[in-house]
Amino acid sequence: MILYIDREEVPDVENIRPEVLRYAIERAERANGRFDKLHRYYRGNHDNLRQGKPEPEEVRVAVNYAKYVVDIALGYYLGDPVKYDANQTHDAEGGEHIDLLPLLGCYDRQQIGEIDSRLGKGMGIYGECLELCYASSKAEPEPRSAYIDPRCGILVEDSTVEHNKLFALVWERRETTARQKYYFLTVYTDRTEKDYRSTDLKTAVFRQVGETRNHYFGAVPVIAYENNDERQGDFEQIIPLIDAYDDLMSNRFTDKRKFVDALLVFFGMTLREGDEEKLLREKFIDGAPLDAKVEYIQKTFDENSVQVLADAAVREMHKMTLTVDMSDENFAGNSSGQALKLKLLTMNLLVKNKIRRMERGLKERLTLYNRWLMTKGAMRELSISDVDVVFAIATPINEAEVVQLVTSLQGIVDDQTLLSQLWFIRDPAEAVRNIRKQKQENVEAFQTGLQAPGEDEEKKAERRVDGLLSSAE
């Protein structure tokens, strides 16, 4: 979670008062009730499944639209890994290209795309989440990232309009083998990180565990990602609709079960002892009077009206969450490209807002990694404007049309921009370098072919001429 407090409360971030730490954890514990409910709904454990023991004929189902809404939006803008495109040059003296290889190497070795996907899912479920940057435990450490659940992470910022970072907490409740519960937390500042332990928040006694460790990120190494201004999850506003839909479908299945378990009524006869077991086993009885009659008493209900109500609830859920119902018959695969764009308009509006907010956090990660690598002498200083963060939206594309467009714009638009439009190009800057290298190799090979033949070639040529002359004689 993100917490705002006055800067006067923390005059020295390296010596935070215990009361401040206790206040932050208590606020987080109060907020965790909402986070727990959102996480529970995403996993399909809805409220109707928790309302005591069901009756013998009662059916309870949970239709997990919460998971559907989050996953379809996540796959739409993070289905493909995020690409990082370095701008041409910023060095006025040498005009050198920006080298992102050390930074991208750190990304590739930890498969940063999985971290991005977890961050996007956290944004969709909780409305906010955190990322922790840390140094790996290898013999030659390098920067790494980890997803932090908002239920056990706190980023504390000041109460100004800029919301400058003060410090961050990563905490959890643990238990010893002797069943003694305690709080364990790590405090991150712009220079150090410290571990603390507390057995009772009421006394506000935090005992430091281990030594103070320095880090090389140059700022608080915790990044906040917000889903929207309200920090609401993708499905949080439709939870009442999800509950209503669950009740509707549960009642529908319950009615079906009761319909199957209809009463069998006999008119003009009575069953003898043992006839019930025989009827259940053999499905018929004999010796019934000629004027006897047997029929089922069934409960009737209007299935069409129930279906109309269910369809209306589904439409409202998709409308409220700006997601597209892929099972809708109107979402046909033979629609024109422009028609598909119109149908995906709301989805594009949703993910564009997500992309803007996530891009801010990814650029902050770039800055932290860059500072760490600069301290180790592995990289030059970067500016945020030096790198473009490129998201690949998973919209249906006409591949031939895209290739034709890129080809027609050669000479009008630079190669790096054109290559970034191709869906299979991961690093446009590297692709441009490879093209230049390939052209240079082709030129060198062509020039080598035009050079004078060597001694061996001259002898072969002489023998071919002698053979022609002898055959002519």
Side-chain angles (χ1 to χ4, degrees):
M1 63 172 293
I2 303 173
L3 180 63
Y4 302 126
I5 63 175
D6 292 334
R7 181 174 288 274
E8 289 76 13
E9 298 281 353
V10 192
D12 183 6
V13 294
E14 296 299 333
N15 296 282
I16 304 172
R17 293 185 296 114
E19 293 79 8
V20 176
L21 298 178
R22 181 181 65 181
Y23 172 77
I25 294 177
E26 289 177 345
R27 285 286 304 273
E29 287 184 326
R30 289 198 297 269
N32 281 356
R34 166 177 165 265
F35 290 143
D36 288 339
K37 181 176 182 179
L38 294 173
H39 182 256
R40 179 164 53 82
Y41 264 74
Y42 178 79
R43 297 187 62 181
N45 187 11
H46 298 179
D47 284 347
N48 70 315
L49 301 179
R50 298 160 56 89
Q51 297 172 355
K53 186 178 180 180
E55 298 295 332
E57 294 183 349
E58 183 182 3
V59 179
R60 294 181 185 177
V61 297
V63 184
N64 200 351
Y65 268 93
K67 180 177 175 61
Y68 175 87
V69 166
V70 173
D71 289 355
I72 195 172
L74 180 66
Y76 194 63
Y77 77 104
L78 282 178
D80 294 327
V82 178
K83 296 188 291 186
Y84 299 89
D85 188 6
N87 295 328
Q88 289 294 322
T89 180
H90 69 98
D91 190 349
E93 297 179 358
E96 298 178 359
H97 292 282
I98 300 172
D99 187 11
L100 293 180
L101 291 180
L103 191 145
L104 295 180
C106 295
Y107 283 4
D108 292 339
R109 283 187 288 274
Q110 63 178 313
Q111 296 182 341
I112 201 68
E114 293 185 5
I115 304 295
D116 294 340
S117 181
R118 295 190 66 186
L119 291 170
K121 180 186 286 188
M123 291 169 57
I125 297 174
Y126 307 107
E128 59 181 285
C129 62
L130 301 175
E131 175 186 359
L132 171 65
C133 298
Y134 66 98
S136 65
S137 57
K138 294 182 179 179
E140 296 183 1
E142 57 184 9
R144 288 284 187 269
S145 290
Y147 165 78
I148 301 298
D149 194 300
R151 292 174 290 180
C152 58
I154 309 170
L155 178 61
V156 182
E157 300 177 346
D158 62 26
S159 55
T160 63
V161 293
E162 294 183 352
H163 296 310
N164 298 305
K165 295 181 182 180
L166 297 177
F167 63 94
L169 292 175
V170 177
W171 67 281
E172 62 180 342
R173 297 195 66 179
R174 296 181 179 178
E175 186 179 64
T176 65
T177 55
R179 305 294 183 180
Q180 181 183 6
K181 296 182 179 180
Y182 65 95
Y183 290 87
F184 187 88
L185 58 148
T186 303
V187 179
Y188 297 89
T189 68
D190 57 350
R191 294 189 296 109
T192 63
E193 54 186 75
K194 305 175 185 178
D195 297 329
Y196 291 94
R197 180 171 174 166
S198 175
T199 56
D200 187 7
L201 286 183
K202 295 180 180 179
T203 58
V205 175
F206 292 89
R207 179 173 57 87
Q208 183 172 348
V209 181
E211 299 180 352
T212 301
R213 304 177 297 275
N214 294 319
H215 62 76
Y216 304 100
F217 291 103
V220 178
V222 174
I223 306 167
Y225 294 84
E226 302 177 25
N227 197 42
N228 44 52
D229 290 336
E230 297 75 24
R231 297 184 204 155
Q232 286 187 319
D234 290 344
F235 60 87
E236 189 167 356
Q237 291 191 8
I238 66 165
I239 286 180
L241 266 175
I242 294 176
D243 290 338
Y245 192 80
D246 288 342
D247 291 339
L248 178 64
M249 298 306 293
S250 298
N251 293 334
R252 194 173 182 179
F253 282 107
T254 300
D255 289 341
K256 284 289 187 181
R257 171 175 287 184
K258 292 180 178 179
F259 179 82
V260 173
D261 295 336
L263 294 176
L264 183 63
V265 181
F266 294 84
F267 297 92
M269 65 172 293
T270 57
L271 295 178
R272 299 183 299 272
E273 184 179 355
D275 283 349
E276 293 181 6
E277 291 77 7
K278 182 179 180 181
L279 179 63
L280 181 63
R281 182 177 62 256
E282 300 180 5
K283 307 303 181 185
F284 75 92
I285 57 174
D286 55 359
L290 295 176
D291 58 345
K293 184 174 64 171
V294 180
E295 65 181 27
Y296 281 100
I297 298 179
Q298 298 174 337
K299 178 182 177 181
T300 60
F301 54 95
D302 190 354
E303 181 72 15
N304 293 330
S305 298
V306 175
Q307 185 61 44
V308 169
L309 184 58
D311 293 341
V314 170
R315 285 195 302 269
E316 290 300 321
M317 284 192 283
H318 285 290
K319 186 189 301 182
M320 296 291 292
T321 57
L322 301 180
T323 54
V324 175
D325 186 4
M326 295 298 181
S327 62
D328 186 3
E329 295 179 357
N330 295 325
F331 201 87
N334 58 355
S335 301
S336 65
Q338 190 63 29
L340 288 175
K341 289 181 180 179
L342 290 174
K343 292 176 181 178
L344 292 171
L345 176 61
T346 57
M347 199 77 165
N348 288 327
L349 295 176
L350 172 66
V351 300
K352 282 181 179 179
N353 180 59
K354 287 176 171 286
I355 286 174
R356 283 194 299 269
R357 294 178 177 275
M358 193 166 189
E359 182 180 4
R360 185 187 310 165
L362 296 182
K363 287 193 172 183
E364 188 174 346
R365 177 204 290 167
L366 279 168
T367 303
L368 292 175
Y369 273 50
N370 178 238
R371 288 173 181 168
W372 199 96
L373 294 172
M374 281 175 55
T375 304
K376 296 297 183 179
M379 193 176 182
R380 298 176 50 184
E381 182 179 5
L382 288 179
S383 173
I384 293 179
S385 60
D386 293 334
V387 182
D388 294 331
V389 181
V390 182
F391 290 81
I393 305 298
T395 53
I397 61 173
N398 187 335
E399 298 177 357
E401 183 180 344
V402 173
V403 172
Q404 183 179 2
L405 175 65
V406 171
T407 304
S408 63
L409 290 176
Q410 286 184 349
I412 302 175
V413 181
D414 63 279
D415 292 343
Q416 186 166 327
T417 302
L418 290 177
L419 291 173
S420 66
Q421 305 303 312
L422 297 176
W423 64 96
F424 55 86
I425 299 294
R426 182 179 180 185
D427 187 351
E430 182 181 2
V432 171
R433 291 193 296 269
N434 291 337
I435 290 175
R436 292 174 180 172
K437 181 179 178 181
Q438 182 177 347
K439 288 182 179 180
Q440 183 64 29
E441 291 175 352
N442 292 339
V443 171
E444 293 176 356
F446 179 74
Q447 292 176 349
T448 303
L450 293 179
Q451 292 178 356
E455 183 178 355
D456 293 339
E457 295 295 333
E458 291 179 355
K459 291 182 180 180
K460 292 180 181 178
E462 290 177 358
R463 286 197 296 269
R464 286 197 296 270
V465 172
D466 293 340
L468 290 173
L469 292 175
S470 60
S471 61
E473 293 177 355

